[in-house]
Amino acid sequence: MKTNLYSILQRKIILITLVVSLAPLIILGAVIYYQFAEIYQVKIEEQIIYRATAQAEALELFLKERTAILSAMADTHRFMDMTDGRQLNNIFQVMNTHAGAFVDLGVIDNAGRHLAYVGPYNLEGLNYFQQPWFGEVMSRGIYISDVYMGYRQIPHFIIAVRRQENDQSWILRATIDPYIFGNIVQAAQVGKTGDAYIINKEGIYQTQPRFGADIQSKSNLDTSLFGGKTSVIEMTNGNGNQILYAGAWLKNNTWLLVINQEVKEEMRGLLATRTMEVIIILAGILAIVLTTIFTTFLAISGLRAADNKMNELNAQLVQSDKMAALGKMAAGLAHEINNPLAVILQKTGWMEDLLEDEDFKQSQNLHEFRTSIKKIEEHVERARKVVHNMLGYARKMEPHLEDVDINSTLRQTINLLENYARINNIEITTELAADIPIIASEQAQLQQVFLNLISNAIDAINKDGIVRIVSKCVQNSIEVQIIDNGPGIPDDLQSKIFDPFFTTKETGRGTGLGLWVSYDIMQKLGGNIQFRSQVDQGTIFTVSIPMVTPEKK
Ligand SMILES: Nc1ncnc2c1ncn2[C@@H]1O[C@H](COP(=O)(O)OP(=O)(O)OP(=O)(O)O)[C@@H](O)[C@H]1O
Ligand SMILES: [Mg+2]
C-alpha cells in the first residue's frame, strides 16, 4: 500500500518534470526544424534567380558584342567592297579575331539575292526573299533570329543588319556558332539534376537541354508563367520530384533562359543539418529523461528512508505511552492487592498454628488441611512476586546517581547465574572492553536489567549453548550485548515481548514482567533496550547506557 503511494508519487514527479522540461525543447526543435526549411527554401530560390540573371546578362552581352561588330563593319564598308569576295573574307577574319563565334558572313541585296558569302557552306547565289527573317531585317534594320534549319539543314541562328547606300538597301548577315553559344548557356547547368537552356516564346528549344529533348523540339514549359525580368516557379515532375525553374528573359523578351534544379538535391545540406538537429534534440531528451528518473529515484528513496525513521520513532513513542499508562495502573493495582495478600498470609500462618492444637491433630483431614494451606501459601507467594515486580516498576526512581563500573556489575551478575547455567550445560563467555569508563548511574537497577536479560537468554537456550556478553563504548554511550544461540523470537511475537505479563514460559515459571521492568528502568536511566532475533539462530539484546561522567567529589 505504502510502496504503491511512493511509486505513484515517483511517477507523478517524473511526468510533471518531463512535461515541463521537454515541452519547450520539443517546441523549439520543431520551430527550428520548420523555420530553417523555409529560410533554406528562400535561399535556394534567391540563388537560382541570381544564377539565371547573371547568365542572362552574359548571354545578352555576347549577342550585343556580335551585333555591334557586325553593325560597325556594315557602317565602315561600302556595298561594292563587301560584294568583293576577298574583301568580305578580310572583314570576316577581323570580326572573328575581335569577337569570335561567327561561322559565316554574307551580303544580300534588297531582292534577297546572296551576292557574296564567306563560310563553310555553299550558299552563294541563293535567294532569301521568301525566308521569314529577310522581311524582319528589311523592316527593323537589326535582327537576331530564332534557331532554324534554313538551307543548310543544321540548327543555327543569324544576326543581320540592313544598310542604305544611295537608293539601294543591302544586308550584312552573320551566323553564330550554335556550339559556342550553347556552351555558354550550358555553363549554368549544376549538380546532377540541374539544367540550363533557352526556349523561345512558343517553348521551342533554342539550345540543347541536358535531359530528354532535342534542340528545336517543343518544351512543355509554359513561358507565360514567367513574368518580369527574372522569376521563379516550382513544379512537380513525372517522378513526383519538386523542381525549381528560374526564367530570365533576354533578346527583347523573345528568348527565355531557363535554369532548373531539383529541390531535393539542393536541400541535401538542409537534410544533413536537420538530421543533426534531430540527433541533438533526441540526445537532450534522453539525458533529461535519465536525469529526471535518477534524481526522482534519489529523492523518493530519501523520502522513504525519512518516513521509515519517522515510523520507527512513532512506534517507540506509542510504546512509551503504553508503558506509562500501564505503569500507573500497575501501581494502583499492586497496592490494592498487596494488602489482602498480607492478610491472607497472616491468616494461613494462624491456621497452621491452629492445626498444631490437639483437637485438630485428631482430625482425619489433618493432612488434607496441611497440603491445602501449603498450596494457598505457595500461590500467595507467587502473587506477591508479581506484585513485588509491579511495585518495583511503578516505584518512582529518585535521582540517586552513584559511580558504576559496568564491567564489574556484569561480572557480579554473571556470578549469580553461573551455577544455574552450568547445570544446564550453558557456557557464559565475556568480551568486555577494557576502556569502559566509570559512569554516574544506578548499579542496582542496571544489575536487575542484566539479570533479567541473561536469565532470559539461559531460559531460551534451555540446554547446551553459549551466552556471550559483550561490552564496548559507542560514541556517547556504553553498549552491553547479551547474545544467545537459542531458538530466537518468532516475527509475530517480536512486538509483544516488552508487554507486561507476556510470557511463553509455562504457568508458574515466568511472570512476563522481566522485559517490561527492564525496558522501563533503561528509559528512566536515559538509555534503551533493543533486540534483533532470527528464528533458529539466536537473539541479541543490546542495552545502551548513557556515558554520564561522575561529578568530582
Ligand atoms: N533471549 C531470548 N530468546 C528467546 N525468547 C526470549 C528471549 N528473551 C525473552 N524472550 C521471550 O520474551 C518473553 C518475555 O520475557 P520476559 O523476560 O518479559 O518474561 P519471562 O522471561 O517470560 O518471565 P520472567 O521474566 O518473569 O521470568 C519470554 O517469555 C520469551 O518468550
Ligand atoms: Mg524474563
Side-chain angles (χ1 to χ4, degrees):
M1 184 63 201
K2 211 69 201 249
T3 326
N4 212 9
L5 278 181
Y6 286 122
S7 47
I8 288 173
L9 185 66
Q10 181 161 356
R11 242 175 288 150
K12 269 189 192 159
I13 295 177
I14 289 178
L15 196 77
I16 292 170
T17 318
L18 285 187
V19 167
V20 169
S21 52
L22 290 188
L25 186 68
I26 291 170
I27 291 171
L28 185 71
V31 168
I32 292 176
Y33 192 88
Y34 292 107
Q35 200 93 321
F36 198 69
E38 235 163 70
I39 294 171
Y40 208 84
Q41 176 98 20
V42 170
K43 276 264 164 292
I44 291 172
E45 285 182 13
E46 275 174 4
Q47 208 211 347
I48 198 169
I49 285 183
Y50 171 76
R51 263 168 43 213
T53 313
Q55 201 65 15
E57 274 168 12
L59 290 167
E60 203 81 88
L61 189 67
F62 177 91
L63 294 175
K64 237 182 226 156
E65 265 179 11
R66 266 89 204 143
T67 313
I69 200 163
L70 196 69
S71 295
M73 289 305 157
D75 287 345
T76 50
H77 292 83
R78 287 182 305 160
F79 178 63
M80 227 175 69
D81 301 333
M82 286 283 187
T83 45
D84 175 60
R86 272 191 41 222
Q87 288 261 29
L88 191 66
N89 195 30
N90 276 347
I91 293 167
F92 181 59
Q93 297 304 331
V94 170
M95 282 167 61
N96 260 341
T97 319
H98 286 282
F102 292 108
V103 177
D104 61 12
L105 186 66
V107 180
I108 295 137
D109 69 7
N110 56 3
R113 279 177 306 206
H114 208 181
L115 299 180
Y117 173 77
V118 198
Y121 306 103
N122 191 13
L123 302 175
E124 208 173 310
L126 291 173
N127 194 311
Y128 291 109
F129 198 79
Q130 298 298 330
Q131 296 274 329
W133 63 265
F134 181 76
E136 297 278 356
V137 191
M138 289 309 271
S139 62
R140 292 188 196 188
I142 295 180
Y143 180 65
I144 302 173
S145 75
D146 276 1
V147 170
Y148 67 105
M149 303 297 271
Y151 287 121
R152 66 191 80 173
Q153 291 300 306
I154 288 171
H156 66 288
F157 72 95
I158 54 130
I159 302 177
V161 292
R162 174 175 54 78
R163 284 296 172 267
Q164 186 78 31
E165 219 174 292
N166 304 327
D167 49 357
Q168 195 190 8
S169 296
W170 55 278
I171 292 168
L172 185 61
R173 182 194 87 144
T175 306
I176 300 298
D177 188 332
Y179 296 103
I180 294 181
F181 187 72
N183 280 344
I184 300 175
V185 174
Q186 281 160 12
Q189 297 173 347
V190 295
K192 290 200 184 94
T193 57
D195 203 348
Y197 47 83
I198 289 176
I199 52 179
N200 68 8
K201 267 204 158 117
E202 288 72 44
I204 307 294
Y205 284 110
Q206 303 297 301
T207 63
Q208 177 68 47
R210 189 175 178 187
F211 303 109
D214 283 329
I215 189 165
Q216 289 258 276
S217 65
K218 191 165 165 26
S219 144
N220 37 23
L221 206 58
D222 180 2
T223 56
S224 68
L225 296 174
F226 295 90
K229 188 99 185 91
T230 315
S231 52
V232 70
I233 60 171
E234 192 179 318
M235 289 202 295
T236 312
N237 73 358
N239 306 330
N241 289 331
Q242 292 292 107
I243 302 195
L244 277 180
Y245 292 88
W249 289 102
L250 49 120
K251 195 163 86 69
N252 275 331
N253 292 347
T254 53
W255 280 1
L256 182 70
L257 169 70
V258 179
I259 293 184
N260 66 30
Q261 186 72 53
E262 259 188 28
V263 175
K264 205 168 72 187
E265 190 178 348
E266 289 294 305
M267 288 284 192
R268 219 154 266 166
L270 171 72
L271 291 182
T273 316
R274 273 185 164 180
T275 314
M276 185 55 89
E277 190 214 336
V278 170
I279 288 174
I280 290 172
I281 286 180
L282 286 182
I285 289 176
L286 190 70
I288 290 175
V289 169
L290 290 183
T291 316
T292 306
I293 290 176
F294 182 65
T295 47
T296 311
F297 173 76
L298 284 189
I300 294 288
S301 304
L303 193 68
R304 201 183 292 220
D307 272 3
N308 282 347
K309 187 135 207 160
M310 183 105 115
N311 288 342
E312 235 166 66
L313 287 178
N314 275 342
Q316 278 176 21
L317 214 63
V318 169
Q319 178 82 352
S320 306
D321 277 0
K322 193 165 85 178
M323 292 302 181
L326 285 168
K328 265 190 203 149
M329 195 190 78
L333 202 66
H335 207 80
E336 287 305 314
I337 293 171
N338 226 5
N339 293 341
L341 286 183
V343 176
I344 294 170
L345 264 196
Q346 192 197 348
K347 297 294 174 199
T348 47
W350 183 59
M351 280 162 78
E352 270 177 334
D353 288 349
L354 284 184
L355 285 185
E356 295 305 316
D357 279 5
E358 282 308 312
D359 303 356
F360 285 104
K361 278 210 167 139
Q362 307 303 322
S363 166
Q364 290 176 330
N365 295 324
L366 182 65
H367 184 69
E368 247 345 81
F369 280 128
R370 279 206 171 125
T371 38
S372 291
I373 290 171
K374 270 275 160 291
K375 268 250 157 67
I376 292 172
E377 279 176 348
E378 226 172 77
H379 282 272
V380 168
E381 204 45 56
R382 206 178 131 230
R384 273 167 64 97
K385 197 177 149 199
V386 170
V387 169
H388 172 80
N389 268 340
M390 285 171 77
L391 276 178
Y393 172 85
R395 185 179 53 116
K396 277 229 156 60
M397 239 169 41
E398 303 301 326
H400 169 63
L401 298 181
E402 57 197 330
D403 290 1
V404 180
D405 179 342
I406 298 289
N407 281 348
S408 91
T409 310
L410 281 171
R411 282 194 204 98
Q412 283 174 30
T413 316
I414 293 164
N415 252 343
L416 293 176
L417 290 167
E418 229 156 19
N419 242 339
Y420 177 48
R422 205 175 303 122
I423 296 168
N424 294 307
N425 195 25
I426 292 168
E427 193 188 345
I428 301 181
T429 63
T430 52
E431 296 155 39
L432 308 180
D435 61 347
I436 305 241
I438 305 288
I439 55 163
S441 194
E442 285 206 57
Q443 175 157 21
Q445 300 286 326
L446 283 177
Q447 184 154 18
Q448 197 187 339
V449 172
F450 297 150
L451 202 68
N452 278 336
L453 294 179
I454 299 171
S455 42
N456 275 355
I458 294 171
D459 290 346
I461 293 171
N462 191 23
K463 265 203 161 34
D464 309 325
I466 299 175
V467 178
R468 279 171 58 212
I469 294 164
V470 182
S471 71
K472 59 187 170 213
C473 294
V474 176
Q475 284 174 338
N476 294 329
S477 44
I478 297 165
E479 259 185 32
V480 174
Q481 291 189 309
I482 289 106
I483 306 165
D484 70 65
N485 60 352
I489 307 168
D491 283 351
D492 54 331
L493 300 187
Q494 289 195 1
S495 63
K496 297 186 186 145
I497 60 166
F498 286 106
D499 291 354
F501 303 112
F502 174 79
T503 178
T504 53
K505 293 171 188 168
E506 60 199 57
T507 331
R509 276 214 57 200
T511 61
L513 291 173
L515 283 179
W516 183 50
V517 169
S518 304
Y519 185 94
D520 188 66
I521 290 173
M522 287 322 299
Q523 288 275 297
K524 284 177 177 157
L525 289 179
N528 64 60
I529 302 183
Q530 286 169 335
F531 71 98
R532 273 189 294 130
S533 185
Q534 183 110 36
V535 173
D536 290 339
Q537 306 247 324
T539 307
I540 303 174
F541 272 89
T542 305
V543 181
S544 289
I545 309 148
M547 214 187 273
V548 182
T549 324
E551 270 172 45
K552 290 233 165 68
K553 284 161 198 155

